[in-house]
Amino acid sequence: MNTVTFMPVNALMPAENQKTHTYTAFDAQQSFSSVLKQSIEKINNAQIQSDIMTEKLAKGENVDLHQVMITSQKASITMQAALEIRNKVIEAYQEAMRMQV
């Protein structure tokens, strides 16, 4: 069984008071998948909020234009950030595949 040990770095705590955590490969995979799922849900929620605000504005409901624009920009920025992260992950994977062992 492969295990990975992580030691959190906290500049305010002496090294002897810091705890080390040992994770199995399964734990690391579960943790990664839950973080990924939460991130995708946040991006989706930002997109949904933007759509709702835009729809309200189009229907002539009482919403401020600047709120609609702020919500739209937040959704756009989160999507752009997610795409950049995806691109970097793919780039890192491709680089790892090119390594000779």
Side-chain angles (χ1 to χ4, degrees), residues 18-78:
Q18 293 181 6
K19 297 179 183 177
T20 58
H21 299 283
T22 302
Y23 297 100
T24 63
F26 178 76
D27 292 338
Q29 181 182 3
Q30 291 298 99
S31 177
F32 177 77
S33 67
S34 69
V35 168
L36 185 62
K37 182 178 178 185
Q38 290 171 357
S39 298
I40 291 171
E41 286 174 355
K42 287 180 183 178
I43 294 167
N44 188 42
N45 287 338
Q47 294 290 327
I48 290 170
Q49 289 292 32
S50 175
D51 291 346
I52 289 170
M53 293 293 283
T54 303
E55 189 175 318
K56 284 182 179 182
L57 181 68
K59 287 182 179 178
E61 293 182 22
N62 188 17
V63 292
D64 293 329
L65 178 60
H66 68 277
Q67 287 295 349
V68 175
M69 292 305 296
I70 289 170
T71 306
S72 174
Q73 285 300 310
K74 282 183 181 179
S76 176
I77 290 169
T78 56

